[in-house]
Amino acid sequence: MSVAKEGFEPLIVAFCCNWCSYAGADLAGTGRMPYPANVRIVRVPCSSRVNPSFVIRAFQRGADGVIVAGCHPGDCHYHSGNFFTRRRLSVLRRLLEYMGIEPERFQVRWISGSEGAKFAQVMTDLTADIRALGPNRKLRDAL
Amino acid sequence: MKVTTDTICSDLLKEVEEYSGEKVASCIQCGKCSGGCPMLEAMDLLPHQVMRLAQLGLKEDIMKSKTLWVCASCFTCAARCQRDLDLSKVMEGFRVIQLRQKGGNTMHPRQLTPEQLKDAPQQAIISGFRKYSK
Amino acid sequence: MKRVGVFVCWCGSNIAATVDIERVIAAARKMPNVVYASDNKYMCSELGQASIRESIEKENITRVVIASCSPRMHENTFRKTVAAAGLNPFYLEIANIREHCSWVHKEGEVGTVKAISLVRTAVAKAARNEPLTPSSLQITKRALVIGAGIAGIQAALDIADSGYQVDLVEKEPSIGGRMAQLDKTFPTLDCSACILTPKMVDVAQHDNITLHTYSVVEKVDGYVGNFTATIRKKSRGIDMEKCTGCGICYEKCPVKVDSEFEAGMAKRRAIYVPFPQAVPNKPVIDRENCRYFTQGKCKVCQKLCPAGAVDYELEDEVLTVEYGAIVVATGFDILDLQAYGEYGYGKHPDVLTSLEFERLVNASGPTGGKILRPSDGKPPRTVAFIQCVGSRDQAKGKAYCSKVCCMYTAKHAILLREKVPGAKPIVFYIDVRTPGKDYEEFYNRATDEYGATYIRGQVGKVYPEGDRLIIRGVDSLSARPVELEVDMVVLAVAVTARADAAGVGRMLGITTNAHQFFNEAHPKLRPVETHSAGIYLAGMCQGPKDIPEAVAQASAAAVKVVGLLNKDSLVGNPTVANVDESMCSGCLECTQVCPYDAIKEKSITERRGRETLTRTVAEVNEGLCQGCGACSVACRPGANNLKGFTNEQILAEVDAVCL
């Protein structure tokens, strides 16, 4: 993938929990709600399955943005999984910020299985944010 | 005025919703606004009727109604409405629509009584703003 | 070397209209490990599945990627296909190129590029898929029903009649619920108690039902087939063995408080039986109001009891019981009318809620079934019924329709006319909704035979004038103002979820909607199941419904429970956490994050050189593990991994996405 800013198409990795956000993405599909194709979804059983190292690996491999999406706090299919997500990833966010990564590049959102429109909106907004920031140069492996 | 495809497809609803910021289309005609309205006796159209006519796009009927000007904006309807609509804002929306019929509703100063003439300059300025500042 | 086969589905034109299938196949053939790629118009059809099976055998494929609709749609279908071809079903990966691609990216080039990327990701994961075998779970052959209104009673009876043990838990001192409070039922006008009481007695006498009244479920752990519930049986202050239910105790009790059962229309004592047909028909001491408990002396009831059954020292009993399935039938409340000052409720005694009116009409109610004004005890001549009080109200009340009010208001109009000859019922409504067998006809009787006048319009204000009530409103059809002088006003108040529904939902791990009604697993096709396997819904706790619907749903829930309990064992989820003991440092961090208590510590002995060492490691109970993966992330040495979603698999996916 080119690092040039001209015609920059960001690559965004979305970790979606199977029960809420992945279902929300399905609903966005069923409802034919368009969002940018820059978003690539990786299915995980629960947002708490997302190891911070997965996020860093994505940035290393050239992702321009990463989003982790789970059930709303309190609605986790596994009762408490997303509470861990919230804690772990807030720490990661601070770490990334400390490393000089724009905080907008890494986001955590709660999208339920009935929020197809919200899924499409969040992905559209995220893509716009990342597009404005330009490519991720800091964390990617040397080309 | 008759309900036709043209009235139903007209922009009246969109227009008044834009001016008032109220979702007039969501009125379910429960009549609670009219039921509590203190100005009811003086109205020719009841508040819920104005809402219905707006949904059907019957602009002329609304425009010639006294109700728009009788409404005291006391907000009883707003407090009661089950759909969270503020009818006083809708009434104001229609008043604005009426006033903004540019050129179509002017009045010659000679038509005014001496008492009215006294306040005319101030009112003219306000009406000018309401009518032409869009 | 893994041999991956890629199968791309057209889904008719759903995928093929956007995604260039030819290009996807050409790209797939160049991906690492891919030995075969083909397409089909409908992969899920019998023909499509057959082509997959044939290709697996012919091309000696060992891992399968199907690019089609969402795995939430057809993952199970295709797992069976793969298994039929002799492979482990978990060798399958699905690339979701319909919901996540062709349906949301209408532009062909963009869609095709993304589809290729999704296939590459699935191929990367599939190449790392390991064979998984589901565990087998035992089922406790006992059901728990929470709430003993008509829905809970029906569910309990149906399950018990099928031969399984049921524990029926009710927080009130008697079973019966809301239906016991009602007078007649629409559209047949048969008396509520007459049809309910026999069922209540059946519950009490059924060999397979254990009744826990005045009890609450405090905690539920476990999972389908293996729930453990903690039930607190609150102390009644009565020795249930000794009590004969003679009723002498409450005659002389000096305390009088509003009766909950009578909706506050009558008083009860501090030691009381909620209503004459109560089951069990034995009293309970209300400790909040009992003079002995509040002031330390009295004991009148104890002195009077001929059986010596009153025992103030009796304590709560806490039971821990195991169940295979749970039915939630916790019922409903009615809306608090604080926000509705315009109706004058609470300010004037003759403004009643429909539940209060129901007690007023009831032959065993506070007036013995005579409709009398609470203010002066005279029969009312005109009664106004106001519908949609708090229902269909997005501003101050509930946005939904309460469903039962139209019908019971018609019933009230009829009952008024029957009990007070010549009285005039006037109904204010927004819409009259009568879908149901014989419902429209019933409403027509109210207007045609019983002289009810229906006025389409909501009431703006109710206020007293002299000893009567003035109603100001409007008839929206004639656009005429309405001003009525009436003797009584009855408000059809919105039904709401129980105030504690969200808490109960959290305890059970089931979700509620915006109005705190419990969510069914699918609004049309799975109306009694929840998203938590083994937990089912019945009655109003799931949403507004009338008695026939509540009973139907309860029987449906019972069938689901019986179907579950009938099984010898359950197939578990194979995507569970797994600990590599050689890497585990024994820090037990994973046990801290597990929501199911599925990880325990274990001692292992191993030989290192000549020494024998004993050390601690973590061990996953595969029956309890639900496969969330929170522990795999918590594991510092990386010994804990989630089968089916291993670190290696997800990292391979990330790498493939970013290519």
Side-chain angles (χ1 to χ4, degrees), chain B residues 26 28-32 34-38 40-41 46 48-49 79-84, chain C residues 340 342-343 388 391-396 430 456-460 472-474 476 479 481:
Chain B
S26 81
I28 54 169
Q29 289 289 294
C30 75
K32 203 168 175 175
S34 305
C37 180
L40 205 64
E41 309 292 328
L46 305 193
H48 78 274
Q49 286 181 291
R80 301 275 162 84
C81 178
Q82 307 208 150
R83 310 298 279 188
D84 216 0
Chain C
Y340 290 88
E342 63 265 33
Y343 296 126
C388 294
S391 305
R392 304 180 72 190
D393 185 340
Q394 295 169 343
K396 295 186 287 184
I430 303 177
R456 188 182 193 280
Q458 274 301 67
V459 167
R472 286 200 40 181
V474 73
S476 69

Side-chain angles (χ1 to χ4, degrees), chain A residues 20-140:
Chain A
C20 288
S21 307
Y22 195 91
D26 278 1
L27 193 64
T30 321
R32 311 295 199 277
M33 302 161 188
Y35 55 87
N38 308 57
V39 179
R40 304 287 149 81
I41 295 171
V42 174
R43 182 162 74 133
V44 286
C46 174
S47 57
S48 68
R49 177 67 190 94
V50 178
N51 195 311
S53 68
F54 300 166
V55 176
I56 295 183
R57 173 77 149 244
F59 281 125
Q60 249 183 313
R61 289 289 189 263
D64 302 298
V66 175
I67 181 168
V68 176
C71 311
H72 288 265
D75 282 348
C76 179
H77 180 80
Y78 304 99
H79 305 316
S80 54
N82 51 14
F83 296 138
F84 295 118
T85 312
R86 190 161 64 178
R87 288 214 162 189
R88 285 172 185 156
L89 299 183
S90 331
V91 175
L92 176 65
R93 205 172 147 90
R94 288 292 191 83
L95 177 70
L96 289 171
E97 222 176 319
Y98 176 74
M99 290 160 72
I101 310 298
E102 299 87 341
E104 292 81 10
R105 288 199 192 275
F106 172 60
Q107 305 196 3
V108 179
R109 288 282 181 280
W110 314 125
I111 303 169
S112 84
S114 57
E115 293 175 330
K118 180 174 174 187
F119 184 90
Q121 192 58 50
V122 165
M123 295 307 156
T124 308
D125 294 349
L126 176 69
T127 311
D129 284 355
I130 309 283
R131 205 184 288 278
L133 285 175
N136 148 37
R137 293 170 200 274
K138 281 226 167 80
L139 253 181
R140 75 166 48 225

Side-chain angles (χ1 to χ4, degrees), chain C residues 29 53-54 122 165 167 177 212 242 261 276 293 307 339 417 432 450 453 490 522 530 549 555 655:
Chain C
R29 289 199 174 116
R53 287 195 300 268
E54 280 161 24
Q165 291 290 323
D167 286 4
H212 299 296
K242 290 185 189 161
F261 180 80
F293 282 102
R417 194 65 167 214
V432 177
Y450 290 86
T453 300
V490 180
H522 189 282
T530 63
E549 280 179 280
S555 288
D655 289 353

Side-chain angles (χ1 to χ4, degrees), chain B residues 54-112:
Chain B
Q55 290 174 342
L56 297 173
L58 299 172
K59 188 170 177 178
E60 282 171 39
D61 285 345
I62 299 174
M63 288 300 125
K64 66 185 184 211
S65 162
K66 276 198 301 188
T67 298
L68 306 183
W69 305 95
V70 169
C71 168
S73 292
C74 71
F75 304 118
T76 306
C77 47
R80 301 275 162 84
C81 178
Q82 307 208 150
R83 310 298 279 188
D84 216 0
L85 299 173
D86 185 344
L87 273 77
S88 50
K89 283 191 184 159
V90 177
M91 296 299 174
E92 171 64 10
F94 279 122
R95 290 196 289 267
V96 170
I97 290 173
Q98 195 169 71
L99 288 168
R100 283 187 183 168
Q101 292 175 346
K102 289 171 193 165
N105 54 350
T106 50
M107 183 175 227
H108 199 275
R110 273 204 293 272
Q111 289 171 279
L112 299 173

Side-chain angles (χ1 to χ4, degrees), chain A residues 18 26 39 43 49 57, chain C residues 70 72 75 114 645 647:
Chain A
N18 182 44
D26 278 1
V39 179
R43 182 162 74 133
R49 177 67 190 94
R57 173 77 149 244
Chain C
S70 172
R72 295 171 59 87
E75 195 167 47
K114 179 161 174 182
F645 294 94
N647 293 332

Side-chain angles (χ1 to χ4, degrees), chain C residues 570-587:
Chain C
L570 284 172
V571 176
N573 164 26
T575 58
V576 291
N578 181 47
V579 176
D580 181 343
E581 287 175 2
S582 68
M583 287 166 76
C584 178
S585 67
C587 71

